[in-house]
Amino acid sequence: MSPTTARSTLRAFLNTLFPGTCFHCGVVIDSDRETEDYPQLLAQCLCDRHIRQIRGVPIPRCGCQNPNTDSSAAFCDFCKPLESRPDVIVPFFRFDGPISSIIRHLKYKRQYRLAEWLVQLIVDIRRDELTALIQAKKPTLVCSVPITRRRRLGRGYNQSELLAEAFAREFSLPLDTTSLIRTAHTPPQARQKTFEARAANIQSAFGISDPSNIKGKTIILFDDVMTTGATLAASSRVLKENGAQHVIAMSIATAAEGIRSDYLV
């Protein structure tokens, strides 16, 4: 028996003993089945019904998700003048349904491999758009939104850093996980129910360890979920105040839909 056949036989045997389940609904799934329209990796964590429910967000589009925004515009007319915002905000999916379940497994259930899967998913589905964006903006560095030392010790990792690492590797871009730092421990943003509370909670939470590392750079800033944009705006402001030329903010998902455009201040 060849090594390839042996591995396939072992995998089939293990799947029989320990069948996979859909992260979103819990139904038993065959993780080796073929999927027609989506990357094979999705078959390992979602059932066919929930694979079909994944919804994307046009690239680029204003991160405020103003329903009146032209889908081809990077920013709506209200957000263009805001100085504290990133130059471009790119959320890839809506934070609902199966995508929200996958992100929660990554963030809270130590499913580290999902970071690689999520990046591969956005690349497989939106490679042409991403390639065009990178060629147009010419980013020189990839960073992630940092978490506090206390939260990293409790969780064991920073999920946004894992996503940034996978994205940087995919596009052969330099990764910087030390320049943008968390300078204050704050309550989790998920507990803040309004934009005003989120902005106040995060306003002075970031700093730069060495401005020379980011001076003049065009930076891709990665986070897992964007809700109001307060965290990305605060991070971008600190990067720009310390010499970054441009900031392209990316999030796997956005929970924002129709929120006020001034919520990115």
Side-chain angles (χ1 to χ4, degrees), residues 82-181:
L82 299 180
E83 295 181 357
S84 62
R85 60 162 171 76
D87 298 278
V88 178
I89 298 178
V90 184
F92 294 101
F93 298 103
R94 307 285 187 192
F95 186 67
D96 60 10
I99 286 293
S100 66
S101 295
I102 291 176
I103 291 176
R104 288 189 179 102
H105 273 74
L106 166 64
K107 192 169 184 176
Y108 301 118
K109 297 189 177 182
R110 298 180 180 272
Q111 297 279 351
Y112 313 109
R113 61 179 181 171
L114 291 179
E116 190 81 36
W117 288 4
L118 282 166
V119 169
Q120 194 58 56
L121 174 62
I122 64 176
V123 169
D124 285 351
I125 294 176
R126 320 195 97 167
R127 182 179 296 275
D128 291 343
E129 295 166 290
L130 274 172
T131 300
L133 179 65
I134 289 174
Q135 289 177 346
K137 301 299 181 182
K138 296 180 173 55
T140 49
L141 205 62
V142 179
C143 297
S144 60
V145 172
I147 59 176
T148 63
R149 182 184 299 273
R150 186 188 309 177
R151 199 157 291 145
R152 181 186 282 271
L153 288 174
R155 187 176 298 162
Y157 58 96
N158 176 2
Q159 71 282 351
S160 296
E161 185 176 307
L162 296 178
L163 292 165
E165 180 181 356
F167 188 89
R169 183 166 53 250
E170 179 67 32
F171 288 95
S172 301
L173 294 170
L175 176 69
D176 184 340
T177 62
T178 60
S179 292
L180 181 62
I181 58 175

Side-chain angles (χ1 to χ4, degrees), residues 3 15 20 25 29 62 68 108 113 115 119 137 163 191 196 219:
N15 284 339
C25 68
I29 58 176
C62 186
N68 297 319
Y108 301 118
R113 61 179 181 171
V119 169
K137 301 299 181 182
L163 292 165
R191 296 179 186 172
E196 289 78 10
I219 297 173

